[in-house]
Amino acid sequence: MMKDKDIINMGKVIFGFSLLLGSICLFGYMFTKNEDFADVGFMLLVLGSVVNIMVVFGLLVYGFCNTAIMEACVYTAIILLTLIPIGILYAIIGFNIL
């Protein structure tokens, strides 16, 4: 059974990893104009969104099944959902510089 801090730390790691990969792709393209960064970035946008939504859904299901850690699951889901506006902003910037 996972503890509250383990669930929150897992969410922070997923958030950080997703943000880091997205930032590498965006700024890599901005500084080098290498189209591979843009291609990987848009693929990451699609696949990363799917993976993050699956993790959020899994957290909420896990929280409903184990109500003692529901608060930690919701907090972690909110952390991951903050990637949505960041992803939209990165996509707008990416489309404008292409």
Side-chain angles (χ1 to χ4, degrees):
M1 172 167 274
M2 296 181 75
K3 296 178 185 173
D4 289 357
K5 71 176 187 173
D6 294 334
I7 292 171
I8 293 170
N9 287 337
M10 178 193 66
K12 288 180 181 179
V13 167
I14 293 170
F15 175 86
F17 188 67
S18 297
L19 185 64
L20 178 68
L21 287 177
S23 296
I24 287 171
C25 292
L26 176 66
F27 294 117
Y29 177 74
M30 286 175 68
F31 296 134
T32 65
K33 299 297 183 199
N34 185 347
E35 300 261 336
D36 292 335
F37 281 115
D39 294 339
V40 171
F42 290 124
M43 185 177 68
L44 176 68
L45 187 65
V46 172
L47 295 177
S49 297
V50 170
V51 168
N52 284 328
I53 294 297
M54 288 177 17
V55 170
V56 167
F57 181 72
L59 281 168
L60 294 177
V61 168
Y62 186 64
F64 282 123
C65 292
N66 189 356
T67 56
I69 58 168
M70 182 64 169
E71 185 176 329
C73 290
V74 169
Y75 178 74
T76 304
I78 290 171
I79 289 172
L80 291 175
L81 289 175
T82 59
L83 284 169
I84 293 171
I86 295 170
I88 292 170
L89 177 66
Y90 278 22
I92 291 170
I93 293 170
F95 284 129
N96 284 329
I97 63 173
L98 275 179

